[in-house]
Amino acid sequence: MVLELEKRLGRSLRAILKQKYDLEVANIPLETPPDLRLGEIATPIAFELARKLRKAPKIIAQEIVTALGEVEGFAHFEVAGAGYINARLDRAAAVRMMGWVQSGLPHAKGHALVEHTSINPNKAAHIGHLRNAILGDTFVRLLRAAGYKVDVQNYIDNTGVQVADVVVGFLHLERKSPVEIRTLIADSTKLAAGPEGYDAAIDYYCWDLYARTSQWYEQGTADEKAARKKLRLDTLHLIERGGNETAEIADLISIAVLRRHLETMLRLGIEYDFLPRESEILHLKFWDAAFEKLKKSGVLYFENEGKNKGCWVMTRPGAPTQPIQDDNGLKGTDDDAKVIVRSNGTVTYVGKDIAYHLWKFGLLGRDFGYKRFFQYPDHECWISAEAGEKEHPHFGDASAIYNVIDSRQSDPQANVVQALRGMGYAEQADHYTHFSYEMVALTPRCAIELGYEVVEEDRGRAYIEVSGRKGFGVKADDLIDKLIAATRAEVDARQTGGTGENADAERHKIARQIAIGALRYFMLKYTRNSVIAFDFKDALSFEGETGPYIQYAVVRIRNIFRKGGTSPEAALAELAELEPGRIAQFLSGEENDDIWALWLRAGRSSMVLEQCISGSEPAYLAKHAFQLAQEFANFYHRHHILTEEDPARKTLLLATAAITLRELVASLALLGIESPEAM
RNA sequence: GCGCCCGUAGCUCAGCUGGAUAGAGCGACUGACUACGAAUCAGUAGGUCGGGAGUUCGAAUCUCUCCGGGCGCACCA
């Protein structure tokens, strides 16, 4: 609602500036006044024009207000302060505008591809991965709500060193045979379903084994260390090549761990459409196709001199585009260039990534094979395969891509974009978004609480980085379990869900909804480039700026309708029957500002959604939902709806609750948070 | 050395493309349950927006510089 009105006002203002002063202003700055008493929308445009027109801002503002006359949806305009133009909305009209079911189907905006999670399939997911997956999943929901067709991908590096390390651990540290490994995986799946829970699961097993193997590389004599490092490299090469027993073991492990990751993420309502794997990128020769294009476009050149002699390299972003020349005009070498093909002929990570991203945009001329892998309640998740199923959906060919990858990888990401641009794909490069975010770290207190040794040097720090290699971190499933236990205790204390036959199932469901709400909100309330210093005290909090606070507002509204024997739909239908004059009466005056504030906030949702997408920042919506809930709590305490004697006013109050409910539930859903029936 | 990010209340963080008296949560202290359930609300205290200079009618926001912290700068992935 506010978005539409702002656009309308912007158009009117632009027309006036053109007609009156012959000025073309592309973007009229519009803002929210600090106080409702100053109106709902304001513009400081007169300040900007003061110099150009050589007139006082106040006079310009007055001229514009006079020229504006009447604009539909607005009550009136006024000049305030040193030259602000403040707009006051026609409150009754705004309310009636929102009361109708307006949203409709958003128009098609294009095909977006979001890649997130992408955990190395060699250990359990931890809180850092949760932030990635929750950010990515939420952004997917936002894009879909805005009208994009979205494919969700989870890239699986099943042939990298991390998987190799676990394979080395199984084969050489534990000296397990392939048969034993197979049995272990099968058994762990059964055990994890029983009382032992996730502690018995394969990803937990690998968590410890990976840490032990990493340590093992560093132990022993110099000769032993060298031998172990060689073992690691040989294992990696066997896995990359494929078609051997080591590669089969690696595949077994990575598939089993991957399934666990999908299960963990499903607990949070996170689903994927496609799982492209590195093994297929290698075996289907994506690189060969990319290499030809890179050479042809001149992005890659062969280095004959300097430290990168014998490599195919590319110029880094920001570096001079032409090879460096010395004082004598002789072409020198760019030692700072990025190596893409090593002197031994193998491709680096960035090289493979360029090929993969050409595929994402449909520019590679090759495709994956596709196999069914994981069944969700309402759709299938596919995985890449060398020889896939005949019938399969098609992925790739996106017009915009979003890579949810932590900020430490911004350099390689920039290299890939640079390569695309260099190949002439400027349009694609412009729609390539590195959706970067900062890591989740542990506070020293939290680390000590978990029983980790914290060296003196780290105790004074604000946070300590999580490390899979060291086995240092909080596992995702452990955290979820802990949250559910805590919410269940609260639910039991309140006897939410009653004491009847189905009480246990009901309470479990509610506890789960609240726990997930708390976790997702916790990961979304911080803006992307803020490091989260994780602490159980904050993550297990259900009060204040948290998911449960917002869910509680929803439950309260539902209780009102339940006790009042009516429904939100009925309340809005009744509102439509009310004459505008009465609505205006109930919304005018400062004593009713809190009611109007709720409508206004609720009416900002689509604007917030747009901001979230243009800024790639889900935190704006998290904040918005909280503020809406907060304003409702305020309203709730000030007005007792069900005992309101004036039926017309009661209708308006009920409609206010109905609109708030609609927007809260919708906002929570976009954040991936369910709205419980009771709590 | 080069690049990116950060520094706002005791703590954790918002502050949108520069705009009107800098906000929230937590913590502290006062109060409010016979109510549409207090996972709530009202109130109080608490900030030279890291320091300095500049641009501007106007700077937490833009530029420069300094200080302090984090992360990247592989023929690793």
Side-chain angles (χ1 to χ4, degrees), chain A residues 9 12-13 16 63-71 77 85:
Chain A
L9 180 59
S12 299
L13 286 169
I16 285 165
E63 287 175 356
I64 293 174
V65 166
T66 307
L68 266 173
E70 299 219 340
V71 179
F77 304 95
I85 298 170

Side-chain angles (χ1 to χ4, degrees), chain A residues 454-470:
Chain A
V454 177
V455 295
E456 194 55 40
E457 189 197 344
D458 284 344
R459 290 186 189 222
R461 291 172 182 266
Y463 51 82
I464 312 169
E465 190 179 347
V466 165
S467 164
R469 199 168 288 281
K470 292 177 186 155

Side-chain angles (χ1 to χ4, degrees), chain A residues 92 579-589 591-592 646 648-649 652:
Chain A
E579 52 170 314
R582 305 249 25 215
I583 296 176
Q585 180 202 332
F586 296 134
L587 290 174
S588 65
E591 71 278 11
N592 291 318
D646 180 341
R649 187 175 154 85
L652 178 80

Side-chain angles (χ1 to χ4, degrees), chain A residues 370-605:
Chain A
Y370 300 88
K371 263 193 333 201
R372 269 168 243 268
F373 184 72
F374 198 88
Q375 182 66 48
Y376 292 114
D378 60 351
H379 75 110
E380 196 100 41
C381 176
W382 295 72
I383 195 165
S384 63
E386 276 184 63
E389 298 179 25
K390 247 189 202 152
E391 302 273 320
H392 62 79
H394 179 64
F395 297 101
D397 296 353
S399 53
I401 66 164
Y402 295 88
N403 293 340
V404 183
I405 304 176
D406 80 78
S407 61
R408 286 172 293 192
Q409 296 212 45
S410 61
D411 275 5
Q413 285 288 299
N415 282 327
V416 177
V417 177
Q418 167 87 349
L420 287 175
R421 203 175 292 283
M423 294 168 85
Y425 302 127
E427 174 76 16
Q428 285 80 359
D430 287 343
H431 291 94
Y432 183 122
T433 304
H434 173 202
F435 191 107
S436 78
Y437 64 95
E438 278 290 345
M439 61 182 170
V440 181
L442 302 187
T443 62
R445 200 185 70 181
C446 179
I448 292 166
E449 207 176 298
L450 285 165
Y452 292 108
E453 253 183 69
V454 177
V455 295
E456 194 55 40
E457 189 197 344
D458 284 344
R459 290 186 189 222
R461 291 172 182 266
Y463 51 82
I464 312 169
E465 190 179 347
V466 165
S467 164
R469 199 168 288 281
K470 292 177 186 155
F472 174 70
V474 176
K475 296 190 204 73
D477 283 307
D478 285 350
L479 176 61
I480 298 170
D481 284 348
K482 211 162 177 167
L483 275 159
I484 291 176
T487 50
R488 180 59 195 255
E490 295 284 331
V491 166
D492 284 340
R494 284 157 228 258
Q495 298 199 334
T496 308
T499 52
E501 241 176 79
N502 297 324
D504 189 61
E506 192 57 30
R507 286 185 190 182
H508 177 74
K509 180 185 174 191
I510 292 167
R512 186 188 58 77
Q513 289 176 321
I514 297 169
I516 302 309
L519 176 56
R520 291 193 63 129
Y521 192 88
F522 178 77
M523 290 295 181
L524 292 168
K525 70 192 268 195
Y526 301 94
T527 48
R528 288 181 293 120
N529 53 13
S530 163
V531 176
I532 298 181
F534 182 88
D535 200 314
F536 284 106
K537 181 174 75 68
D538 297 330
L540 290 172
S541 163
F542 309 131
E543 290 167 13
E545 196 185 342
T546 64
Y549 176 98
I550 306 169
Q551 291 172 316
Y552 188 60
V554 168
V555 167
R556 279 178 150 178
I557 298 173
R558 288 187 168 154
N559 283 344
I560 293 171
F561 285 104
R562 203 170 290 139
K563 291 247 163 121
T566 179
S567 70
E569 295 73 27
L572 289 175
E574 273 185 52
L575 178 76
E577 300 299 316
L578 233 55
E579 52 170 314
R582 305 249 25 215
I583 296 176
Q585 180 202 332
F586 296 134
L587 290 174
S588 65
E590 280 182 35
E591 71 278 11
N592 291 318
D593 271 352
D594 63 320
I595 303 176
W596 170 236
L598 259 181
W599 284 90
L600 192 60
R601 177 80 62 192
R604 286 212 161 92
S605 294

